Amino acid sequence: MTPTMPLKFVSSNRRVREDRRFVAGQGRYVADIPLEGLLHVALVPSQHPAARIVSINVIEAMKMPGVHYALTGEELAKATEPLMNGLDTPNVRRFPLAVGQVRYAGEWVVAVVAETRAQAEDAAEKVRIEYEPLPYVIDAEEALDPASPPVHPPHGSNLLLDKTFIWGEVEKHFAESPRRLAFRVVWGRSSTVPIETFGVAVKWDPWREMLDVWASIQMPKYSDQIARSLRIPLNNVRVHQDVDVGGSYGVKRGIKQTVIVSHLARILGRPVRLIEDRLDNMRAGDAHGPDRIFDVEVAFNDDGNPQACMGADIEDYDNDANLDIIVTNFATTLSTMLPSIFIRDG
Amino acid sequence: MPKTLLRLSVNGEDHDLAAAPHKTLLEVLREEMGLTGTKHGCELGECGTCTVLVDGRPVLSCLALPIELEGRAITTVEGLAGAGRLHPLQQAFAELGAAQCGYCTPGMLMAAKALLDRNPTPTRAEVVEAISGNICRCTGYGQIVEAVEFAADRLRKTNAPRDPQAAVADEPPVGRPAKSKAPQEGILEAAQIDALRGGRS
């Protein structure tokens, strides 16, 4: 290419191809997918931050008009594998619906299926759950105290990951730098909030053993995780990629929601859809980013250029109910900016 | 619950249909009439995603009951475009990148149409106020406001009485290649965009 050749894309005004259908009202989001015989799910959340589930009574709920099923965590756990655990913590097991114990307020306990979403919601109010409240702590540093109640008792503590990342010659740079600054940064719980909550609709073909999935999804390895949890081959999960996503900003993962509706579609023989309402989404969807506490010390020159950074980062994934991935983004971002860093991440 | 017979005027056509009386206009449009362009958002009247027009005024269809709207003129986003041709507002939204994920877009368009129908020359503050009930979580408000202003400008020019002198003045100078005056999607001149953004930056 010669320097005088005009550039085709740089500084030219390119529009994404989706625009025309979006402005015409012809976007095709998960709630717009027509499926014959579709059933709808409403979820029963826990009102307790920590409690043992003593009993679940769905008799009255099942008598409500249009109701097809009320699914508990115990039943779902028997039929599926726990959700993927991205850490070396085999005793921390996560399920789409709570099993035996709830670990945060809003955690989904029962899924009620009915002909319409309104019927499912009415019936969900009839589910009776007896809880035995358990002690809990809210503060992340307090949670690390060995005396604090563990969120996952089989794991034995609230520490899921304790890892040190070192780039460069940290001690040398600190020794050579004339100035230091130590400070604490606290990052509160945060979330992006797309206008469209997460939604998923699935259809199970029992004769081909094929699961068709339409979802508001941007999740890597989505079909892999669904197949693994449902104990079916990856080839038997068909995720339709022609579904528009009404905003995500990284929070639409949807594994547990998809496992719930997939199991229901398999046992009921009808397509099943779950679209989070705003409360489902805010309390127990995939949206929560962790609290983070950074204790940082920076070494820098007289001219103000930072040379090295040492830090301890506590990431509070709350009751760790719905997050698959621990992100050490603080450390990795800094590593691109400084000659050397030392981070203890937990 | 037994269904009730309804006659609704939607996008210029009368529709006879049966729906449970507690169903919202949003539900009836989407589920009974297949008009899925209007979206569920908060379902509490806070996000504006479900905005439609009733007799030209923006209404939150998640809070409206169809049984109260018989005989009223309901317009949805599907009623904006005609025969494959976009409304100037839709065209402007597409050209200026005012639709990102597209989910709030139908509601934004309807709120903007209500504004331009009653006020062809809105100030930027009036545009902002007109869409203040519509939330965009992709944070694209800048482009949305620009698109409404751009569409207003185009509509004014389209609707202005023809002035023979102005037509002559718009002819390209002799010796230079004539450019098509018809705006094409995605080829908005950089100078036009800069002019629009000039007021903000």
Side-chain angles (χ1 to χ4, degrees), chain B residues 34-64:
Chain B
L35 295 172
T36 55
T38 308
K39 301 299 179 197
H40 284 267
C42 64
E43 298 171 336
L44 297 167
E46 293 176 0
C47 74
T49 301
C50 65
T51 304
V52 300
L53 301 186
V54 175
D55 294 338
R57 297 180 65 85
V59 163
L60 299 166
S61 62
C62 75
L63 300 182

Side-chain angles (χ1 to χ4, degrees), chain B:
Chain B
M1 185 175 287
K3 293 185 172 182
T4 302
L5 286 176
L6 292 166
R7 172 168 289 186
L8 295 179
S9 169
V10 180
N11 298 332
E13 287 184 23
D14 284 340
H15 296 263
D16 292 312
L17 49 96
H22 65 270
K23 288 258 184 178
T24 64
L25 177 60
L26 174 62
E27 290 168 328
V28 168
L29 288 170
R30 291 179 55 86
E31 297 164 20
E32 310 294 339
M33 303 182 68
L35 295 172
T36 55
T38 308
K39 301 299 179 197
H40 284 267
C42 64
E43 298 171 336
L44 297 167
E46 293 176 0
C47 74
T49 301
C50 65
T51 304
V52 300
L53 301 186
V54 175
D55 294 338
R57 297 180 65 85
V59 163
L60 299 166
S61 62
C62 75
L63 300 182
L65 290 175
I67 203 163
E68 296 179 325
L69 298 173
E70 289 186 292
R72 315 279 291 275
I74 299 164
T75 310
T76 71
V77 68
E78 289 92 345
L80 277 183
R85 189 178 173 82
L86 295 175
H87 183 279
L89 266 168
Q90 295 171 307
Q91 187 72 28
F93 268 58
E95 288 178 16
L96 288 172
Q100 188 170 322
C101 82
Y103 204 77
C104 74
T105 306
M108 287 283 183
L109 286 165
M110 301 318 286
K113 181 169 192 309
L115 170 71
L116 298 190
D117 284 350
R118 69 173 189 275
N119 179 3
T121 56
T123 63
R124 174 155 292 200
E126 287 169 333
V127 173
V128 169
E129 186 181 350
I131 61 166
S132 62
N134 296 70
I135 296 174
C136 163
R137 298 302 313 203
C138 302
T139 67
Y141 292 111
Q143 292 96 317
I144 292 168
V145 171
E146 286 168 4
V148 177
E149 290 177 323
F150 192 67
D153 189 50
R154 269 196 189 152
L155 279 164
R156 282 197 300 274
K157 285 175 178 162
T158 306
N159 296 332
R162 282 211 165 275
D163 178 351
Q165 292 297 323
V168 171
D170 282 352
E171 287 295 318
V174 176
R176 289 178 62 186
K179 282 186 179 174
S180 167
K181 288 189 70 181
Q184 294 177 46
E185 185 193 3
I187 328 186
L188 193 65
E189 296 294 331
Q192 290 175 285
I193 296 173
D194 289 345
L196 279 168
R197 291 189 169 143
R200 276 193 316 140
S201 56

Side-chain angles (χ1 to χ4, degrees), chain A residues 150-297:
Chain A
V151 175
H152 294 272
H155 181 64
S157 83
N158 289 320
L159 186 64
L160 296 179
L161 175 79
D162 185 358
K163 196 164 183 178
T164 300
F165 301 84
I166 303 173
W167 284 270
E169 299 173 279
V170 181
E171 288 182 18
K172 176 171 171 286
H173 286 139
F174 259 85
E176 291 172 357
S177 299
R179 294 177 184 272
R180 293 183 187 192
L181 186 65
F183 53 94
R184 166 169 274 211
V185 179
V186 178
W187 176 336
R189 185 157 290 264
S190 60
S191 174
T192 58
V193 185
I195 298 283
E196 183 205 44
T197 58
F198 178 77
V200 55
V202 301
K203 185 173 157 186
W204 173 251
D205 181 337
W207 313 117
R208 294 172 182 79
E209 298 192 330
M210 178 64 74
L211 184 75
D212 280 285
V213 183
W214 295 264
S216 177
I217 198 70
Q218 292 186 321
M219 176 70 185
K221 295 181 78 68
Y222 175 65
S223 45
D224 305 55
Q225 291 194 48
I226 298 166
R228 183 188 155 281
S229 190
L230 294 172
R231 300 172 181 153
I232 58 177
L234 177 58
N235 285 354
N236 295 30
V237 177
R238 187 160 53 196
V239 179
H240 293 248
Q241 299 293 344
D242 58 347
V243 180
D244 290 320
V245 176
S248 168
Y249 329 121
V251 301
K252 284 184 173 169
R253 291 194 283 276
I255 307 296
K256 65 179 181 180
Q257 298 88 333
T258 308
V259 172
I260 291 171
V261 290
S262 300
H263 174 70
L264 289 167
R266 282 205 294 194
I267 62 173
L268 297 174
R270 298 261 297 262
V272 179
R273 185 171 89 184
L274 164 59
I275 295 183
E276 296 168 347
D277 70 13
R278 193 55 62 182
L279 275 176
D280 295 334
N281 179 258
M282 296 288 281
R283 296 192 297 200
D286 302 316
H288 283 226
D291 297 331
R292 292 191 172 109
I293 302 169
F294 305 109
D295 283 315
V296 184
E297 187 170 9

